[in-house]
Amino acid sequence: MTHTTEPSSGADRQGRGAHARVGGNDKGGHSKEPRGKGGKGLHRRKFLGGMAGAAGLAAVGAAGVTFSMLTGGNNSKASAADATGTLTIPDLLEGTTSGTTTTYTLTAQTGTSEVISGVSSTTAGYNGSYLGPTMKWTKGNTALLNITNSLGDDTTVHFHGAHIPPKMDGGPQNAFADGVTWSPTFEILDEAKTLWYHPHALGTTAEQVVHGLAGMIIVEDDSDVSAALPSEYGVDDIPIILQCLAVDTAGDIKYEATGYRSSGVTFPVLVNGTNVDSTTLGFTATKKRTRFRVLNASPADIMTVQRGDGGTLTQIATDQGYLTEATEVTAIRLVAGARAEFVLDLEDAVTLQAVVTTGWIRGGSGTYDFLTVTPEATDTPADLPSTLNTITRYDTSAFTARTITLGQGTGATMTIDGSAGLTMAAMAMISTTLDAEEVWTIKNSTQLEHSFHLHDVPYQLIEINGETPTGVDLGWFDTYEVVGGGSIKIAMKFTDFADDTYMYMLHCHLLQHEDEGMMASLMVTDS
Ligand code: C2O
Ligand code: CU
C-alpha cells in the first residue's frame, strides 16, 4: 500500500475536541441550538403513507447486494457506530507525490455499517466499510489512481464533474472485474470546485452507491479567491455528504422499485455516514468563518439545506465552481448528484437542517436538524472577495441546438430519446466534435422528477422551464433538476478531449432511473 490515511488530521482533532467540550454527552453539542421553529421533534421526518401496500412485491431481490459478501469481521469502524454526537469527517486520502504527479490508492471493498441505529447493514466503501476518503486534487498537477476492486462484482469509479479524457472518466466502458486494479491518470484541468467519485457500471450503479461507494473530491487551485477562502480540511473546510437511503428492519439497503416497496422499509438520512434520524450532530467551529461543501449522494431524493433559524447561507459555489459573487440564500436545493458550497460567519450557534423532498416511489418528506455548528473562535475574518469568479454568459445564437427527451419506456425502463440505455449498444448516442458549442433543451416527457447530469464539461443554464435563470442558477453546473413535464435549456462547449472509442455519458442521476436506462452516450470526436 502506498497511501496512508491521516490519523492525526484536523478532522480527528476537531472530533475529539468537540467531544471533550460537550463532556461526552451528545446532547451538549446542540444545547445552544436556536429552536426557531419550536423544537426538534417537529423537524423530524413525517412519513408519507402508501409504502406498505406493495409489500407483496418484496420477495424478489429483497436479499439485496450481489457483491460476494464476506462477513465483515475485520472491517474498519463504521462511522455510524461512532456515536459521539460529533460530525464525522471522512479521512483525507494522502497521496504520494513525485514531481507533479500524485498517486492515490483506493480499494473498493465490502463491510458492515449501521445505517439505522443498532442494526448492522452489509455495506461497501473505499478503503473502509462505508463511503470513501476525501481526495484533494490540485489544478495543474497529474493524478494517478490505483483502484482495486474487492467487491466480488464488476465496478467502475467515475469522477463526477471532472473534465478528463473519456477513457479515464470511469463510465461503463471502464468497468473492471473483482481482483483487478484500474489505474487511470490525467492532468487536473478543473479549477477549484467540489467533485465526487462513485461507481458507474451498467445496471449496478444504484446498488453500489447506496451501499456506501461514494467519496468527495476537493479540487484546489492557486487563485487569489481560493487563498481567501477557508481551506483547512476538517477545521474550517467541512465536507457534508448527505444521503437519504431506504433500509428495511433487517438492515438491507434497497436500491430498486421492488426493494423500496418492501415491508418495513424506512428512509434514514445520513450525514457523512452517520444516521441523523434522531440525533443532531455537533461541530465546533474554531474559526469564525467555516466553509461547507455539500454533496447530495442520495440515490433519488432532493435534499435542501437551510438554517433552523431562518437565516441565510452565503453560497459561494455550485457544482462546477465559484459563483461570480457570494450570494445570500435561504436554502440550497440539491438534486441527486449535485453539490454546492457555502460559508457561515458565526457569532452564535446555528443548526443546519436538511429537508428531504422525495422522488417517485421513495419514502416521505421531512426536515432534519442534522448539525449544530457552535463557534468557539476569536478571529476576525477578512471580508469575502467581492468577486469570486468571472463567468461569461454564453451567447448561444450560433450554437448547435439539440433536444434531448427524458422518457419512460415499456416495462420498468426509462429512456433518453426513446432508447432505454440498458447496454452501450442500446443507448442513444449523441455525436459531436471537439470544440463544438451546443445548446440542448432537456425535455422531461414524464411526470417524474429527474436530475440531469452531463459528463465532461460544465454547462450554463439558459432557461429553466422557459424562464431565464437568476441568482445562483447563473453558476456552472453538471447536474440539475428537471421537474415532471418541465425542461431546462443548457449550453456547453466540448473542449480538450476527443476519442473515437470511449464515450462520456449523460443521464438521470436518480440512480434507479439511470440503471433502468435513462442514460445516453456522448461521443466527442476530432472534427
Ligand atoms: Cu455521478 Cu454519470 O455520474
Ligand atoms: Cu430520473
Side-chain angles (χ1 to χ4, degrees):
M1 301 291 273
T2 54
H3 79 284
T4 54
T5 51
E6 190 187 25
S8 60
S9 70
D12 264 21
R13 287 198 305 276
Q14 174 61 47
R16 279 196 295 276
H19 188 186
R21 273 188 287 278
V22 299
N25 173 353
D26 71 357
K27 295 287 188 288
H30 42 81
S31 59
K32 291 188 236 168
E33 170 188 338
R35 294 282 169 76
K37 290 179 186 168
K40 186 161 87 174
L42 298 180
H43 295 291
R44 291 298 155 192
R45 163 153 300 191
K46 297 154 214 99
F47 286 103
L48 298 179
M51 294 302 296
L57 297 171
V60 180
V65 295
T66 61
F67 312 140
S68 70
M69 292 300 185
L70 311 167
T71 44
N74 60 348
N75 294 304
S76 57
K77 107 185 135 59
S79 51
D82 183 19
T84 61
T86 57
L87 179 68
T88 297
I89 308 282
D91 284 337
L92 200 55
L93 181 63
E94 296 291 313
T96 16
T97 301
S98 142
T100 57
T101 300
T102 303
T103 304
Y104 303 90
T105 304
L106 288 172
T107 300
Q109 61 194 69
T110 57
T112 58
S113 186
E114 286 188 15
V115 299
I116 44 175
S117 300
V119 181
S120 176
S121 289
T122 297
T123 56
Y126 298 104
N127 300 357
S129 56
Y130 195 77
L131 297 180
T134 299
M135 276 190 278
K136 273 194 182 185
W137 292 354
T138 304
K139 185 188 177 193
N141 284 5
T142 295
L144 167 64
L145 295 99
N146 292 316
I147 308 171
T148 301
N149 177 358
S150 303
L151 295 173
D153 195 6
D154 287 4
T155 195
T156 74
V157 179
H158 168 56
F159 309 103
H160 179 126
H163 181 48
I164 54 178
K167 191 177 181 178
M168 307 297 169
D169 190 46
Q173 289 172 296
N174 296 122
F176 57 109
D178 181 55
V180 171
T181 298
W182 182 56
S183 300
T185 183
F186 42 83
E187 186 185 346
I188 313 300
L189 300 180
D190 287 286
E191 298 181 343
K193 63 186 69 165
T194 303
L195 308 176
W196 64 300
Y197 61 102
H198 64 77
H200 210 311
L202 275 179
T204 58
T205 298
E207 179 184 5
Q208 295 191 358
V209 174
V210 300
H211 282 85
L213 291 165
M216 188 175 276
I217 300 167
I218 294 173
V219 185
E220 299 188 306
D221 65 18
D222 60 4
S223 67
D224 291 345
V225 167
S226 293
L229 290 167
S231 62
E232 201 178 339
Y233 184 75
V235 176
D236 61 7
D237 186 351
I238 307 301
I240 300 286
I241 301 175
L242 299 175
Q243 291 170 290
C244 183
L245 299 180
V247 185
D248 71 14
T249 48
D252 244 349
I253 304 174
K254 311 299 184 185
Y255 51 88
E256 37 74 63
T258 307
Y260 294 155
R261 292 192 185 106
S262 56
S263 62
V265 170
T266 59
F267 300 89
V269 168
L270 278 68
V271 176
N272 296 347
T274 305
N275 182 307
V276 296
D277 289 356
S278 54
T279 308
T280 302
L281 301 173
F283 176 78
T284 303
T286 55
K287 300 278 180 58
K288 198 155 277 179
R289 174 174 298 151
T290 306
R291 174 186 195 163
F292 295 89
R293 301 172 185 264
V294 188
L295 157 64
N296 182 1
S298 300
D301 295 315
I302 296 169
M303 308 290 275
T304 301
V305 175
Q306 62 189 30
R307 290 170 63 139
D309 63 6
T312 58
L313 309 167
T314 306
Q315 189 172 346
I316 56 171
T318 52
D319 287 336
Q320 283 285 331
Y322 299 132
L323 293 162
T324 54
E325 56 186 9
T327 305
E328 296 300 313
V329 296
T330 53
I332 297 176
R333 181 178 170 92
L334 297 174
V335 276
R339 292 86 61 214
E341 299 176 28
F342 65 89
V343 297
L344 290 176
D345 288 3
L346 290 181
E347 297 292 342
D348 299 307
V350 69
T351 294
L352 296 175
Q353 299 179 324
V355 182
V356 180
T357 305
T358 197
W360 197 24
I361 61 169
R362 294 289 315 277
S365 307
T367 300
Y368 291 72
D369 294 343
F370 71 88
L371 183 68
T372 297
V373 184
T374 304
E376 284 189 11
T378 52
D379 63 318
T380 307
D383 287 346
L384 286 169
S386 55
T387 299
L388 300 178
N389 199 1
T390 303
I391 301 178
T392 305
R393 296 290 294 170
Y394 288 141
D395 171 1
T396 60
S397 50
F399 281 29
T400 302
R402 297 180 198 263
T403 298
I404 293 185
T405 304
L406 310 178
Q408 265 173 290
T410 51
T413 63
M414 305 292 288
T415 61
I416 291 185
D417 289 349
S419 298
L422 298 173
T423 63
M424 291 301 292
M427 61 183 72
M429 184 170 80
I430 311 295
S431 298
T432 190
T433 50
L434 188 59
D435 296 324
E437 300 174 321
E438 305 210 358
V439 57
W440 295 1
T441 300
I442 313 300
K443 227 171 104 38
N444 184 352
S445 70
T446 76
Q447 288 311 309
L448 306 172
E449 177 84 25
H450 301 296
S451 169
F452 184 79
H453 173 46
L454 174 66
H455 292 207
D456 184 20
V457 290
Y459 56 75
Q460 290 182 3
L461 291 157
I462 306 301
E463 277 178 23
I464 304 167
N465 301 314
E467 308 282 340
T468 305
T470 57
V472 300
D473 286 333
L474 297 171
W476 289 107
F477 293 87
D478 58 53
T479 306
Y480 201 84
E481 180 173 9
V482 194
V483 298
S487 67
I488 57 173
K489 191 186 271 195
I490 62 175
M492 75 295 293
K493 295 186 185 182
F494 293 102
T495 52
D496 299 306
F497 306 117
D499 196 305
D500 50 21
T501 304
Y502 286 89
M503 291 170 262
Y504 297 108
M505 297 288 133
L506 48 116
H507 59 92
C508 179
H509 220 287
L510 272 69
L511 301 178
Q512 182 190 349
H513 292 175
E514 170 179 355
D515 285 346
E516 289 174 342
M518 193 172 275
M519 181 150 67
S521 58
L522 167 71
M523 177 78 96
V524 185
T525 52
D526 278 314
S527 36

